[in-house]
Amino acid sequence: MARFGLPALLCTLAVLSAALLAAELKSKSCSEVRRLYVSKGFNKNDAPLHEINEFFKELLENAEKSLNDMFVKTYGHLYMQNSELFKDLFVELKRYYVVGNVNLEEMLNDFWARLLERMFRLVNSQYHFTDEYLECVSKYTEQLKPFGDVPRKLKLQVTRAFVAARTFAQGLAVAGDVVSKVSVVNPTAQCTHALLKMIYCSHCRGLVTVKPCYNYCSNIMRGCLANQGDLDFEWNNFIDAMLMVAERLEGPFNIESVMDPIDVKISDAIMNMQDNSVQVSQKVFQGCGPPKPLPAGRISRSISESAFSARFRPHHPEERPTTAAGTSLDRLVTDVKEKLKQAKKFWSSLPSNVCNDERMAAGNGNEDDCWNGKGKSRYLFAVTGNGLANQGNNPEVQVDTSKPDILILRQIMALRVMTSKMKNAYNGNDVDFFDISDESSGEGSGSGCEYQQCPSEFDYNATDHAGKSANEKADSAGVRPGAQAYLLTVFCILFLVMQREWR
């Protein structure tokens, strides 16, 4: 059976994760996607004209360019001679966000140690230092605090902000992956029979214009979507955790407010080193031994003749950048939060929302003039609860409650693991991203298409756990090909209906 997703939800998640996750794709036209989107009955205004520029990549590039421009102006040739040190810093920050296998604390410690070695040479240019001596110097970074308190504060800010931003983006990717997988509905023979009875059997009675009763439709949909209903508890916990991390991104863990003034913070650290150079050098000489003076003809210019006396312009934190995506992180996260709030209780409300559509069932006001499965009359059975465990007494669909769907269980576990990661990120703790691709169904959940182009279409051959195709299952259960074609239409309508929840 063909694969039908929740198009609007998938579109929302895809756009949001594309705006936050790193991707190395050039801007492309979305004309083909728009045509497909419109052909499915959606508003063309909901699909972008062009691929949305990636927010985080632009944020880092702007910060790196700002640092480079200001350091060239302030420090001139001295900076150019040591610029690879700062380039490496941004390379590692980007690599952390894209891949995740970077220890931020170790990376930042290494940056400050390398910067100390370079600075120590410059402020003591009359001496010769071997590599071994400079290794000894770097050991004093933490003890002497040559850069003041800047490294400690920046390490805390960068670690929390980057962990929160990456975890949030990974959460969006996992959500999209879960929705994509569980939106594959392979109806059982019992579900197929119930749907055909609900839609077609009234025609045999001459009741062509009579729609199914709302509660009758609800029982059938809750039976057919029993496994999807089991997602609701973990899904809601997941959404709550996403909203918690979103609050951090708007507040103390805002990666934009950390990266925007990073050039000023590093410059302040350099100035601290310059101001304390005499005391720092004396203590290093005591611990590492006296250095060897250079011959008189090779002594470099003293630090007073260098460009380190210059200082940067005052920084105004209220000056927040606006990227080409037309938004700052604050506004972007605010928009994401609104979408996430709408996603609460999505799976438990799915059957009701389907039956609320006038194409699927009569309204609650027509309880006595609707098709109840036998005739035009009131539907007398109570509506069952959501989820597999509640389907034992479903009067319309026979459901085997002893066999939970393995795919659904895997997605529940993926949501549970990702929720735990987001709680760690909320508390400012680092998050292990190494196994993010193995936490859903072993099929790359949460990858976000970070290193390869995402497919333009969803190609899917639905199979059960024994490897039998959906069509083969239907044939073996005695379902006619015509019924399969009809079910195709029913489930297409079923998921198209859900677009209203996401506009």
Side-chain angles (χ1 to χ4, degrees):
M1 186 174 183
R3 172 177 176 169
F4 292 100
L6 306 176
L9 176 55
L10 283 173
C11 180
T12 298
L13 292 172
V15 169
L16 294 175
S17 59
L20 289 169
L21 285 171
E24 299 300 328
L25 305 178
K26 295 182 179 179
S27 181
K28 299 178 180 178
S29 169
C30 294
S31 57
E32 293 184 6
V33 177
R34 283 171 64 86
R35 282 196 294 270
L36 177 63
Y37 201 70
V38 173
S39 71
K40 297 297 183 181
F42 297 104
N43 189 331
K44 67 178 181 180
N45 295 327
D46 291 337
L49 290 171
H50 301 283
E51 183 181 53
I52 296 176
N53 293 326
E54 192 270 300
F55 180 87
F56 178 80
K57 176 184 174 183
E58 187 174 358
L59 178 64
L60 273 182
E61 288 177 347
N62 287 343
E64 183 175 13
K65 183 179 184 300
S66 176
L67 183 145
N68 184 74
D69 291 345
M70 297 177 74
F71 274 43
V72 167
K73 180 179 179 181
T74 306
Y75 303 122
H77 186 63
L78 286 175
Y79 166 70
M80 297 301 294
Q81 289 179 318
N82 299 279
S83 62
E84 81 281 355
L85 175 63
F86 302 92
K87 290 180 181 178
D88 290 345
L89 171 64
F90 283 93
V91 167
E92 290 300 295
L93 290 174
K94 292 175 184 176
R95 189 161 72 91
Y96 170 81
Y97 193 80
V98 175
V99 182
N101 59 346
V102 174
N103 187 309
L104 287 175
E105 184 171 349
E106 290 181 1
M107 183 271 291
L108 290 170
N109 286 341
D110 181 64
F111 166 76
W112 292 112
R114 292 173 63 194
L115 183 59
L116 175 60
E117 292 179 8
R118 306 292 178 94
M119 288 287 299
F120 195 78
R121 282 181 184 270
L122 291 172
V123 299
N124 295 283
S125 55
Q126 68 273 31
Y127 296 107
H128 170 71
F129 298 104
T130 64
D131 291 340
E132 291 76 13
Y133 195 97
L134 291 176
E135 287 183 10
C136 180
V137 172
S138 65
K139 295 178 182 179
Y140 283 83
T141 306
E142 187 68 25
Q143 177 184 346
L144 300 178
K145 299 188 185 308
F147 301 110
D149 205 30
V150 174
R152 184 191 67 81
K153 289 182 178 179
L154 190 61
K155 180 167 61 177
L156 183 64
Q157 293 168 348
V158 167
T159 300
R160 287 180 171 180
F162 272 71
V163 168
R166 177 169 169 77
T167 307
F168 190 74
Q170 287 286 305
L172 291 174
V174 168
D177 191 62
V178 168
V179 171
S180 176
K181 285 182 171 63
V182 303
S183 63
V184 179
V185 180
N186 293 323
T188 63
Q190 292 78 12
C191 174
T192 300
H193 176 79
L195 284 169
L196 291 174
K197 178 181 176 183
M198 182 179 80
I199 302 297
Y200 275 153
C201 286
S202 60
H203 295 180
C204 299
R205 302 289 181 89
L207 304 175
V208 179
T209 61
V210 178
K211 296 179 182 179
C213 298
Y214 177 83
N215 287 349
Y216 177 40
C217 172
S218 296
N219 273 336
I220 292 177
M221 289 305 165
R222 293 189 182 197
C224 291
L225 299 172
N227 288 297
Q228 280 78 2
D230 284 340
L231 280 166
D232 207 55
F233 179 77
E234 289 299 337
W235 176 265
N236 291 338
N237 289 339
F238 167 80
I239 295 297
D240 286 338
M242 288 284 286
L243 290 170
M244 288 169 59
V245 177
E247 291 179 1
R248 291 297 204 198
L249 289 175
E250 290 179 315
F253 297 177
N254 187 308
I255 193 171
E256 191 174 18
S257 64
V258 171
M259 293 308 300
D260 182 33
I262 195 170
D263 48 6
V264 178
K265 294 176 181 178
I266 294 177
S267 179
D268 287 342
I270 292 174
M271 297 307 161
N272 286 332
M273 173 60 186
Q274 178 189 351
D275 294 340
N276 300 319
S277 61
V278 175
Q279 299 92 316
V280 170
S281 297
Q282 288 176 348
K283 291 183 180 178
V284 170
F285 294 161
Q286 292 174 3
C288 299
K292 295 180 179 180
L294 284 172
R298 296 180 55 191
I299 296 179
S300 304
R301 292 184 304 170
S302 66
I303 191 62
S304 62
E305 297 173 309
S306 73
F308 282 104
S309 59
R311 290 185 180 270
F312 279 5
R313 59 171 173 77
H315 173 63
H316 300 288
E318 68 273 10
E319 296 177 359
R320 303 293 291 279
T322 300
T323 68
T327 179
S328 70
L329 183 62
D330 287 336
R331 293 192 291 272
L332 182 63
V333 171
T334 297
D335 182 64
V336 175
K337 284 174 61 179
E338 290 305 311
K339 297 292 192 302
L340 289 172
K341 289 175 183 178
Q342 296 174 31
K344 286 289 295 288
K345 300 182 179 180
F346 180 85
W347 303 105
S348 60
S349 62
L350 181 56
S352 299
N353 285 326
V354 170
C355 295
N356 279 330
D357 188 82
E358 61 183 10
R359 291 171 290 180
M360 294 297 294
N364 287 327
N366 297 320
E367 296 178 358
D368 294 323
D369 297 317
C370 54
W371 170 249
N372 65 6
K374 295 181 179 180
K376 181 181 179 182
S377 183
R378 177 182 290 268
Y379 183 72
L380 299 179
F381 293 102
V383 177
T384 61
N386 280 295
L388 188 64
N390 291 318
Q391 302 310 309
N393 296 320
N394 192 313
E396 306 302 335
V397 184
Q398 284 187 327
V399 180
D400 187 350
T401 59
S402 66
K403 294 181 179 180
D405 187 277
I406 299 300
L407 176 65
I408 296 295
L409 293 179
R410 285 175 175 169
Q411 307 317 307
I412 289 174
M413 181 57 65
L415 291 171
R416 188 174 298 164
V417 171
M418 198 64 225
T419 298
S420 176
K421 290 179 182 295
M422 285 188 289
K423 288 181 179 179
N424 281 332
Y426 175 80
N427 292 324
N429 301 325
D430 203 352
V431 174
D432 177 19
F433 293 107
F434 295 105
D435 60 347
I436 193 70
S437 63
D438 300 323
E439 287 167 359
S440 179
S441 61
E443 301 175 7
S445 173
S447 65
C449 303
E450 294 166 346
Y451 273 29
Q452 59 186 0
Q453 181 175 349
C454 297
S456 57
E457 297 181 1
F458 290 113
D459 296 321
Y460 187 80
N461 180 23
T463 59
D464 65 10
H465 300 299
K468 186 181 295 183
S469 72
N471 287 334
E472 290 171 343
K473 286 179 67 180
D475 291 341
S476 64
V479 181
R480 301 186 308 279
Q484 281 290 318
Y486 168 71
L487 286 174
L488 192 72
T489 303
V490 168
F491 279 103
C492 180
I493 293 174
L494 187 156
F495 289 114
L496 283 175
V497 165
M498 296 313 299
Q499 68 159 322
R500 296 180 177 179
E501 296 299 310
W502 298 97
R503 283 183 175 174

